[in-house]
């Protein structure tokens, strides 16, 4: 049995079973390859996939987002591709890594992607439907904290990740400032609910740094909360639900019944700041 087959077997019949299990296994192999190359000496993992893999977020996440831990211009994703290829080869795969130019992103997607973000797709010769998307912010907003999180397969390794309060800050920045117009990324709302449910404190210092880097504004906590409430009150909740459906399992579907503008406004009142 290959490492890939062993990891995939872990999902069968488990609470974490998902139609996207193959893609999730490949995300873990990609992390192992990056670690093999020393990537996490200079970077940290953040975003929804980090929350899924290391904190059991009950939804699938497509993109693997990374940030430099300090501003520098000599760290690039392609420096670590040989190690990633070697890790996938050990798991039984030949892969192709292709650069995704900003112009190749959809209009909505690219509006929130900075010019200096490096984005690549890892594709597989034998599994055409599986693709791992990785992005590195090479000029990140700072004032965040990291921690080492353990991954046991494909072998034991440590991955440097944003702490939960800083993951939360990144999510709230996306929820409020992402310009989706008619398309709403309901996954942001799903994750927001998760953070409130588990009483995770929000690191407002890092959130402020993200807002200033994105818009040049110095936003107070009160101003941010006003912007958040306006976003939550005005959104089309049916569109929010429709976006998140492909990323959750059947067991999560009944939980969406309570979703309404008022429900999310009450969640906002429960935000706990660090």
């Amino acid at each position: 049995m290959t490492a890939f087959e062993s990891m995939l077997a872990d999902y069968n019949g488990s609470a974490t079973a998902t139609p996207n299990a193959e893609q999730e296994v490949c995300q873990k192999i990609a992390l192992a390859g990056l670690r093999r190359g020393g990537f996490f000496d200079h970077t940290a993992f953040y975003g929804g996939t980090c929350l899924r893999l290391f904190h059991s977020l009950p939804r699938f996440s497509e993109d693997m987002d990374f940030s430099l831990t300090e501003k520098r211009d000599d760290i690039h994703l392609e420096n670590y591709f040989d190690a990633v290829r070697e890790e996938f080869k050990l798991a039984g795969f030949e892969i192709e890594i292709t650069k995704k130019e900003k112009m190749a992103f959809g209009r909505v997607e690219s509006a929130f992607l900075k010019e200096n973000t490096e984005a690549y797709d890892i594709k597989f010769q034998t599994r055409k439907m599986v693709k791992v998307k990785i992005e590195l912010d090479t000029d990140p907003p700072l004032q965040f904290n990291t921690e080492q999180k353990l991954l046991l397969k494909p072998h034991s390794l440590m991955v440097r990740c944003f702490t939960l309060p800083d993951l939360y800050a990144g999510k709230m920045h996306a929820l409020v400032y992402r310009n989706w117009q008619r398309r709403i990324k309901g996954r942001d709302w799903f994750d927001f609910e998760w953070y409130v449910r588990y009483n995770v404190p929000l690191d407002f210092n890092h959130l402020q740094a993200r807002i200033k880097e994105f818009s040049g504004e110095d936003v107070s906590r009160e101003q941010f909360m006003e912007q958040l409430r306006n976003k939550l009150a005005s959104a089309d909740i049916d569109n929010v639900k429709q976006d998140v459906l492909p990323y959750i399992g059947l067991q999560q579907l009944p939980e969406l019944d309570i979703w309404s503008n008022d429900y999310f406004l009450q969640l906002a009142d429960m935000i706990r700041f660090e």
Side-chain angles (χ1 to χ4, degrees):
M1 179 180 290
T2 66
F4 175 83
E5 291 168 339
S6 173
M7 294 169 71
L8 193 61
D10 292 341
Y11 284 82
N12 295 333
S14 74
T16 56
T18 165
N20 305 103
E22 287 192 355
Q23 193 163 346
E24 200 162 286
V25 167
C26 289
Q27 289 172 342
K28 294 176 181 178
I29 296 171
L31 286 174
L34 291 168
R35 180 63 194 170
R36 174 190 291 272
F39 183 66
F40 296 107
D41 294 343
H42 310 288
T43 69
F45 191 23
Y46 73 101
T49 306
C50 180
L51 200 62
R52 166 68 179 169
L53 297 184
F54 291 105
H55 299 283
S56 301
L57 177 72
R59 74 162 179 89
F60 175 68
S61 178
E62 292 179 304
D63 298 348
M64 302 184 72
D65 300 310
F66 303 96
S67 170
L68 291 179
T69 54
E70 61 179 345
K71 294 182 186 291
R72 51 191 295 175
D73 57 12
D74 60 332
I75 303 297
H76 303 284
L77 276 169
E78 56 264 32
N79 299 346
Y80 303 91
F81 286 168
D82 286 346
V84 172
R85 291 187 184 97
E86 179 63 22
E87 196 70 46
F88 275 102
K89 187 175 181 180
L90 291 172
F93 289 109
E94 294 292 335
I95 63 171
E96 176 187 3
I97 304 177
T98 58
K99 188 170 185 177
K100 191 171 183 180
E101 301 294 344
K102 189 173 189 288
M103 62 185 299
F105 286 80
R107 183 184 63 183
V108 171
E109 186 179 22
S110 63
F112 204 66
L113 186 68
K114 295 192 300 186
E115 291 288 348
N116 51 2
T117 297
E118 298 178 355
Y120 289 84
D121 290 334
I122 300 175
K123 301 179 181 179
F124 305 85
Q125 295 178 359
T126 56
R127 282 175 164 78
K128 300 298 184 183
M129 300 303 294
V130 176
K131 181 171 65 176
V132 174
K133 298 188 287 185
I134 54 177
E135 298 176 7
L136 173 64
D137 187 347
T138 59
D139 186 25
L142 300 178
Q143 298 189 47
F144 59 82
N145 298 299
T146 65
E147 60 183 346
Q148 297 287 342
K149 300 295 289 184
L150 175 62
L151 190 67
L152 291 176
K153 290 186 177 182
H155 48 79
S156 294
L157 65 137
M158 290 289 188
V159 175
R160 185 200 296 259
C161 301
F162 279 40
T163 61
L164 274 172
D166 292 310
L167 287 169
Y168 194 0
K171 180 55 59 178
M172 297 310 292
H173 177 240
L175 194 156
V176 174
Y177 290 90
R178 202 192 300 267
N179 182 21
W180 288 99
Q181 299 177 352
R182 292 188 177 182
R183 288 186 57 192
I184 298 176
K185 195 170 182 181
R187 286 155 280 175
D188 290 342
W189 299 58
F190 186 93
D191 297 358
F192 167 48
E193 179 193 49
W194 185 92
Y195 283 112
V196 175
R197 174 175 287 124
Y198 290 99
N199 200 31
V200 177
L202 173 61
D203 183 351
F204 192 70
N205 288 332
H206 181 51
L207 178 55
Q208 279 183 312
R210 283 189 168 272
I211 295 170
K212 187 167 185 178
E213 192 263 354
F214 181 73
S215 64
E217 298 178 81
D218 281 312
V219 175
S220 68
R221 185 181 299 183
E222 292 73 22
Q223 289 171 322
F224 171 75
M225 289 302 298
E226 181 180 1
Q227 292 173 335
L228 173 62
R229 291 189 176 98
N230 288 339
K231 188 93 168 187
L232 299 177
S234 61
D236 185 325
I237 296 298
D238 287 336
N239 287 343
V240 172
K241 291 181 181 180
Q242 286 302 312
D243 176 82
V244 80
L245 287 176
Y247 299 91
I248 62 175
L250 293 176
Q251 64 271 31
Q252 273 78 49
L253 289 179
E255 297 180 13
L256 304 190
D257 292 343
I258 196 174
W259 282 21
S260 67
N261 297 94
D262 182 62
Y263 173 68
F264 283 99
L265 285 167
Q266 292 199 39
L267 288 180
D269 292 336
M270 299 178 186
I271 290 175
R272 181 166 70 91
F273 289 94
E274 191 174 51

